Amino acid sequence: MSTVVQISTFLLASLVLVNVLCPAHADKSYEDVRCKCICPPYRNISGHIYTNNVTQKDCNCLHVVEPMPVPGHDVEAYCLLCECKYEERSSTTIKVTIIAYLSVVGALLLYMLFLLLIDPLIRKQDPYTLPLQNEEDSEDVRAHIDSALGRGNTMLERVEGAQQRWKIQVQEQRKTVFDRHKLLS
Amino acid sequence: MEEVDGFSGTTPTEETNGSGNLMDFLDEPFPDVGTYEDFHTIDWLREKSKDTDRHRKITIKSRESMWEMIKSLLDAWSGWLVMLLIGLLSGTLAGVIDLAVDWMTDLKEGVCLSAFWYSHEQCCWTSNETTFADRDRCPQWQTWAQLMTGYTEGAGVYLLNYLLYVLWALLFSFLAVSLVRVFAPYACGSGIPEIKTILSGFIIRGYLGKWTLMIKTITLVLAVSSGLSLGKEGPMVHVACCCGNLFCSLFSKYSKNEGKRREVLSAAAAAGVSVAFGAPIGGVLFSLEETLWRSFFAALVAAFTLRSINPFGNSRLVLFYVEYHTPWFMPELVPFILLGVFGGLWGTLFIRCNIAWCRRRKTTSLGRYPVLEVMAVTGITALLSFPNPYTRRSTSELISELFNDCGALDSSQLCDYSGANANVSTSRALDDTPDRAAGPGLYSALWLLTLALIFKIVITIFTFGIKIPSGLFIPSMAVGAIAGRILGVCVEQLAYHHHDWIIFKSWCRPGADCVTPGLYAMVGAAACLGGVTRMTVSLVVIMFELTGGLEYIVPLMAAAVTSKWVADAFGKEGIYEAHILLNGYPYLDQDEFTHRTLATDVMRPRRNEAPLAVLTQDSSTLEELEALIKETDYNGFPVVVSRQSERLIGNSVVYFTEEAPQLPASNPQPLKLRRILNLSPFTVTDHTPMETVVDIFRKLGLRQCLVTRSGRLLGIITKKDVLRHMAQMTNQDPESIMFN
């Protein structure tokens, strides 16, 4: 199980990394860049928000506010009131991140449901069921597992062995934190 | 070392530590010697000497051939490579966390219809239908009630929104706590006390594992989005250290040597703070260890990676990056110091209450229902935070709004000054708005903020320490920011209405912009954070990296120092040290040990205990040994010359001697275990004062030390004995120190 986790972690990391590096080279989509100017009410003109797709150098009142609502001599005064900001974002990064995150959460939820509901049903007939034990016997259980499953070296058996070991580890952690409150108060 | 005709079966990389012999069949390095058991401390000296040996071997070999030289270069560069990888992965994970939190926090209130993966702000980004009055609304983003019923106003709509807000919050926290419980129980809490203990040499297996990394990242997002009063900075440090551990296992230089691994982990912690705050320099100071350059490199790479993911648009690293340059005045130091005092007092209050609550959770039946506890806290938080608009939104947004100065275009209640919009003079620059009288909106905002302050102070006490990833920086900054902003507005109004008083006259003309309430919020945040964690230098550096204003160093320093003094007057420990004490981790702190005890008082065996279990160098038999190991649970035994003289040879894992006598083949052959003997154990005499002994333990990182008198072995002192003794001296319960 841990190799699967390793692989998926690396995949997720590389996926996000790739999406980080690629947009830097590709052209930004039209919608991802904008210059936003907020102009408050002035005399008898109501407040308005103007957006336009210009470069950062041109992100000022003169280039973005069109059509200019005031006559020529008033433009400077009006523009002093307006606040212009250049903003950019990467919509692909957002989309990929959110969808990847949701899929990982979904996968974990499914695995959790499997572990809690379906796994005990499968293992009921299994001769390798772990007896309930306290911590002192965990050494013996580990040896028991190793000896019982050590006979087969197929992929499935190895995965199962790794999964059993992981389950014991999590159980011990759970005891330390939740039951005996030895760690993490 | 002399090889004997071909039998020995040695591997080429063994240690050269004694003479080989025909029966030295244990010449290959023991597979399990050198790995530590769970919940034990490492032996720094041994790790350091192992690393020096390895390095020497590589240097010697590198002269043999080109390939070996390349391998030695790779070994030298592997440190930097590990830092690079750590920085990249931490930055990526931080970006993912920020983006996901942004989206999920808004998910509690509504959804974007055009593309569900956009948060509120992103959804309205491309819309052309935003008007000046309704800057934040757009038809593509609808609240849940609006989606279900089609209405936007009304009591029923409000109640429906309320209900759904609470339900979403409960769902998120239930998911978080179940994932933590089923997959990685070590992922709960902040992580910083445990990381500090691990960095000082304690072993906690699985704490920095891959499952912990994945679960912590995922549940951190869920926990922060559920609206609970917790932050993500502490858990980010844990996540970064997990990344560090992950990459350590790829290189044998770090995976086999616990001492080198800790260097990497401390650099990873620096990277974690760096991406949490966007403050690379502050992050390095926070990790407080040697290897400064490597830490800085990791922190820089992490910050750069986060910047290129650009989670907040505008290429900022942190949500509350403010950039004003309004000056502050000398008389304003008085309210700043007042904020420092408030920060110190709140810090003390919080630490005492939180530790009491955590102790109750540890010892009574409250601790047996972690899932219910998390759900109850979330339910109460959501119920109480929805009505107040300042607590409904995420804490980071709140802090950002409080830090910002009011410009002419801000439409929030906090900027509702009377006479704001009507007669704005057209000949002023934008941020030079003069002080004005408060409007009604501002008064109601102040009232709501006071309620929010009380709520946050109370709820954070119960939230920090529950069984999901929980950080402390953001809630304490929020408390400080609210208090600072309220004080700032009060000072501003005072200056406006009474500008003819002596103190204001010199620096505040009517019509000028004297007081910046946003600055007070920043100072307040720094004071509260300093009061709780007792950081000073790294705190100031982080705060001025957040603001970009070097001119505010003096107020920040004044507040940080004042809050630390006030808080230290009540109790010496910050919140993380207090949690270390509560859990009994064997962490040797930097405090002076000033009691007048001697080594004899602390050493084992005490007067009424069984005599020291020793092994002789050449007369113990194998069955004596096995019996000894079975009866006792010590990890090491001193080896003496003989039981009569008890002069010390060394401290070993199992017994043994230097030259085995050559016995005829019919007798059972001797067992030679010289290889695992430590020939230079640390010794002190029995009259050494404990001050010196504690100093030796701290500076050399020892695990145990032997006590002798005129060459005769008397007893042994381990690190846990020292800690128990220190606990006894300060009247704490010595049995609470973790021992196995």
Side-chain angles (χ1 to χ4, degrees):
Chain A
M1 249 325 141
S2 70
T3 45
V4 175
V5 171
Q6 244 173 329
I7 293 171
S8 55
T9 322
F10 273 99
L11 272 181
L12 183 62
S14 52
L15 196 69
V16 185
L17 265 179
V18 156
N19 272 294
V20 159
L21 299 173
C22 279
H25 297 121
D27 294 63
K28 290 239 175 310
S29 104
Y30 175 72
E31 300 170 347
D32 278 352
V33 169
R34 70 174 181 183
C35 180
K36 179 167 147 182
C37 285
I38 306 181
C39 296
Y42 177 67
R43 298 215 186 133
N44 52 354
I45 306 169
S46 63
H48 207 277
I49 300 182
Y50 300 91
T51 54
N52 202 349
N53 178 15
V54 292
T55 61
Q56 196 166 6
K57 224 163 34 89
D58 289 336
C59 184
N60 52 33
C61 174
L62 297 169
H63 286 96
V64 172
V65 175
E66 300 201 353
M68 187 63 72
V70 290
H73 55 274
D74 255 348
V75 164
E76 199 184 320
Y78 186 64
C79 273
L80 265 177
L81 293 174
C82 288
E83 198 182 292
C84 288
K85 252 191 326 185
Y86 176 75
E87 292 171 343
E88 63 178 327
R89 69 169 184 185
S90 169
S91 50
T92 1
T93 310
I94 297 177
K95 180 161 143 189
V96 166
T97 310
I98 301 286
I99 292 184
Y101 178 80
L102 284 179
S103 35
V104 172
V105 172
L108 278 179
L109 273 181
L110 285 177
Y111 188 46
M112 178 165 84
L113 287 175
F114 168 77
L115 277 181
L116 290 178
L117 301 176
I118 308 184
D119 211 41
L121 294 175
I122 298 182
R123 299 232 175 255
K124 241 198 316 200
Q125 288 91 26
D126 209 317
Y128 305 139
T129 15
L130 305 175
L132 288 172
Q133 73 271 9
N134 41 6
E135 188 191 300
E136 285 80 58
D137 299 329
S138 64
E139 307 276 337
D140 307 329
V141 176
R142 222 177 279 138
H144 168 80
I145 300 276
D146 284 343
S147 62
L149 294 176
R151 50 169 193 136
N153 257 334
T154 65
M155 187 65 164
L156 195 60
E157 312 251 342
R158 255 184 283 165
V159 166
E160 276 204 29
Q163 191 185 22
Q164 294 293 63
R165 275 196 298 273
W166 172 69
K167 272 201 223 165
I168 297 175
Q169 215 183 8
V170 174
Q171 212 168 3
E172 278 183 34
Q173 284 183 6
R174 206 177 293 147
K175 281 211 188 73
T176 316
V177 175
F178 285 98
D179 300 333
R180 291 181 295 146
H181 289 280
K182 203 163 141 189
L183 210 60
L184 292 162
S185 63
Chain B
M1 170 190 116
E2 313 87 53
E3 303 268 17
V4 183
D5 349 292
F7 170 68
S8 51
T10 58
T11 61
T13 56
E14 62 178 345
E15 310 286 327
T16 55
N17 225 348
S19 52
N21 206 329
L22 189 56
M23 291 316 282
D24 227 343
F25 56 85
L26 288 167
D27 264 1
E28 70 271 356
F30 296 96
D32 280 319
V33 167
T35 58
Y36 296 93
E37 280 189 20
D38 211 358
F39 300 129
H40 284 197
T41 45
I42 74 175
D43 193 340
W44 288 99
L45 293 180
R46 182 161 85 186
E47 298 302 312
K48 197 155 161 40
S49 71
K50 256 175 31 183
D51 186 57
T52 329
D53 274 344
R54 188 192 63 91
H55 195 253
R56 195 182 312 130
K57 220 175 295 172
I58 289 188
T59 323
I60 293 177
K61 272 185 133 163
S62 76
R63 299 192 201 118
E64 290 174 13
S65 74
M66 192 54 148
W67 175 234
E68 296 292 335
M69 182 142 82
I70 293 180
K71 279 210 313 202
S72 83
L73 275 180
L74 280 179
D75 183 80
W77 278 90
S78 61
W80 295 101
L81 182 62
V82 169
M83 298 298 152
L84 178 72
L85 291 172
I86 292 176
L88 285 176
L89 188 58
S90 318
T92 310
L93 286 176
V96 167
I97 290 177
D98 285 334
L99 285 172
V101 164
D102 215 12
W103 176 67
M104 285 185 100
T105 320
D106 286 336
L107 193 65
K108 291 201 303 276
E109 298 188 36
V111 70
C112 183
L113 292 176
S114 54
F116 74 91
W117 55 83
Y118 282 145
S119 65
H120 190 158
E121 190 192 334
Q122 300 291 333
C123 198
C124 296
W125 176 284
T126 52
S127 148
N128 284 331
E129 290 130 43
T130 49
T131 60
F132 182 75
D134 260 344
R135 254 169 273 199
D136 295 327
R137 305 246 194 97
C138 63
Q140 286 93 350
W141 196 86
Q142 295 189 347
T143 60
W144 292 111
Q146 195 178 353
L147 197 61
M148 289 189 204
T149 62
Y151 296 109
T152 48
E153 306 289 327
V157 165
Y158 182 80
L159 282 177
L160 191 56
N161 272 331
Y162 201 155
L163 178 69
L164 280 164
Y165 182 89
V166 174
L167 284 180
W168 273 111
L170 285 173
L171 174 70
F172 287 158
S173 63
F174 178 67
L175 273 180
V177 74
S178 341
L179 283 175
V180 162
R181 199 187 152 88
V182 171
F183 289 113
Y186 277 164
C188 53
S190 151
I192 294 191
E194 287 75 25
I195 299 248
K196 279 178 91 135
T197 320
I198 289 180
L199 285 179
S200 81
F202 197 53
I203 302 266
I204 308 179
R205 292 230 178 281
Y207 198 71
L208 300 175
K210 302 177 193 77
W211 273 102
T212 315
L213 170 64
M214 183 165 73
I215 294 294
K216 190 125 188 174
T217 315
I218 291 175
T219 50
L220 182 59
V221 171
L222 287 169
V224 175
S225 318
S226 72
L228 281 168
S229 174
L230 43 83
K232 60 176 172 50
E233 283 67 31
M236 278 296 328
V237 175
H238 187 185
V239 164
C241 284
C242 289
C243 298
N245 202 34
L246 179 72
F247 289 120
C248 271
S249 55
L250 297 177
F251 296 87
S252 70
K253 173 178 173 184
Y254 295 106
S255 65
K256 296 221 173 75
N257 190 315
E258 294 288 337
K260 294 294 277 181
R261 193 192 281 245
R262 264 142 190 81
E263 287 178 16
V264 171
L265 287 182
S266 72
V273 176
S274 145
V275 289
F277 286 106
I281 304 178
V284 173
L285 286 175
F286 182 79
S287 73
L288 290 177
E289 299 276 350
E290 61 270 21
T291 65
L292 211 56
W293 274 121
R294 294 243 175 101
S295 303
F296 184 59
F297 181 65
L300 206 55
V301 172
F304 172 70
T305 313
L306 181 60
R307 190 180 196 276
S308 53
I309 292 186
N310 198 8
F312 298 113
N314 312 339
S315 297
R316 291 167 313 179
L317 283 173
V318 173
L319 194 51
F320 25 93
Y321 185 76
V322 293
E323 281 177 294
Y324 36 75
H325 300 282
T326 50
W328 59 278
F329 300 94
M330 268 307 165
E332 283 185 307
L333 272 180
V334 172
F336 291 150
I337 291 185
L338 271 180
L339 281 174
V341 171
F342 172 77
L345 289 176
W346 177 75
T348 314
L349 173 76
F350 177 80
I351 293 178
R352 294 245 176 111
C353 294
N354 186 254
I355 293 290
W357 183 251
C358 285
R359 185 167 292 136
R360 183 168 296 199
R361 190 187 294 131
K362 251 175 107 112
T363 48
T364 66
S365 61
L366 176 64
R368 273 188 253 131
Y369 307 104
V371 182
L372 274 181
E373 186 192 357
V374 170
M375 306 289 291
V377 171
T378 312
I380 296 176
T381 311
L383 274 174
L384 292 177
S385 57
F386 188 83
N388 187 336
Y390 290 109
T391 45
R392 186 193 304 182
R393 68 185 79 148
S394 76
T395 323
S396 312
E397 280 181 37
L398 172 66
I399 297 181
S400 171
E401 183 175 336
L402 290 172
F403 278 7
N404 267 309
D405 200 11
C406 284
L409 303 172
D410 274 304
S411 60
S412 64
Q413 263 188 326
L414 265 181
C415 296
D416 182 24
Y417 292 93
S418 61
N421 292 323
N423 307 315
V424 174
S425 160
T426 54
S427 59
R428 281 177 177 276
L430 205 55
D431 57 350
D432 190 14
T433 47
D435 291 348
R436 292 156 294 182
L442 187 55
Y443 282 121
S444 79
L446 283 182
W447 173 235
L448 284 173
L449 277 178
T450 318
L451 286 179
L453 179 68
I454 299 174
F455 169 68
K456 277 236 174 279
I457 289 181
V458 170
I459 200 77
T460 314
I461 293 177
F462 298 103
T463 312
F464 187 63
I466 55 177
K467 297 285 181 262
I468 50 178
S470 58
L472 190 56
F473 283 31
I474 293 265
S476 28
M477 285 176 78
V479 167
I482 298 179
R485 186 81 187 210
I486 295 178
L487 185 63
V489 169
C490 291
V491 170
E492 186 190 34
Q493 292 306 303
L494 208 59
Y496 176 78
H497 287 289
H498 300 278
H499 52 82
D500 45 352
W501 283 4
I502 278 286
I503 26 173
F504 296 123
K505 215 185 218 162
S506 51
W507 52 281
C508 201
R509 296 170 290 113
D513 179 19
C514 322
V515 176
T516 324
L519 175 61
Y520 285 70
M522 252 162 39
V523 171
C528 278
L529 196 51
V532 157
T533 58
R534 311 293 163 88
M535 304 191 307
T536 43
V537 181
S538 34
L539 177 66
V540 172
V541 174
I542 287 176
M543 290 306 289
F544 88 68
E545 272 184 292
L546 276 185
T547 61
L550 285 176
E551 54 251 8
Y552 302 131
I553 283 193
V554 174
L556 288 174
M557 266 168 44
V561 165
T562 318
S563 82
K564 185 161 160 70
W565 276 342
V566 169
D568 275 351
F570 292 97
K572 277 223 147 284
E573 306 101 22
I575 183 77
Y576 299 124
E577 285 83 33
H579 271 271
I580 286 181
L581 273 176
L582 177 69
N583 286 318
Y585 300 147
Y587 177 74
L588 207 50
D589 207 357
Q590 303 298 324
D591 289 336
E592 295 290 314
F593 182 84
T594 50
H595 302 276
R596 301 182 141 279
T597 44
L598 300 177
T600 31
D601 303 327
V602 182
M603 76 176 185
R604 299 293 184 112
R606 304 281 165 79
R607 225 146 283 168
N608 52 349
E609 286 179 356
L612 191 61
V614 297
L615 307 165
T616 56
Q617 66 169 348
D618 52 9
S619 56
S620 308
T621 63
L622 201 52
E623 62 179 303
E624 266 176 38
L625 209 62
E626 282 178 349
L628 202 56
I629 294 181
K630 221 175 282 187
E631 288 161 22
T632 61
D633 54 357
Y634 301 137
N635 294 318
F637 298 95
V639 175
V640 296
V641 173
S642 71
R643 284 198 196 275
Q644 289 77 30
S645 74
E646 282 195 333
R647 284 201 341 267
L648 210 52
I649 292 287
N651 196 348
S652 82
V653 174
V654 182
Y655 111 102
F656 108 160
T657 124
E658 6 177 311
E659 281 287 344
Q662 291 284 358
L663 298 173
S666 53
N667 298 14
Q669 296 298 318
L671 184 61
K672 293 176 43 129
L673 296 175
R674 186 170 186 80
R675 210 158 287 296
I676 45 185
L677 184 70
N678 175 3
L679 285 164
S680 55
F682 250 86
T683 60
V684 290
T685 61
D686 58 332
H687 281 292
T688 316
M690 271 311 285
E691 266 180 289
T692 314
V693 176
V694 169
D695 229 4
I696 294 178
F697 267 88
R698 188 185 292 145
K699 294 204 164 104
L700 293 176
L702 291 185
R703 196 156 75 151
Q704 72 272 322
C705 131
L706 300 167
V707 182
T708 60
R709 182 196 297 160
S710 358
R712 283 191 57 232
L713 178 65
L714 283 188
I716 190 169
I717 302 183
T718 64
K719 187 169 173 181
K720 288 186 176 155
D721 292 328
V722 171
L723 285 165
R724 280 201 200 104
H725 178 68
M726 286 170 77
Q728 219 170 11
M729 286 290 124
T730 54
N731 292 326
Q732 282 159 341
D733 177 17
E735 291 310 312
S736 72
I737 304 284
M738 274 172 91
F739 68 96
N740 290 83

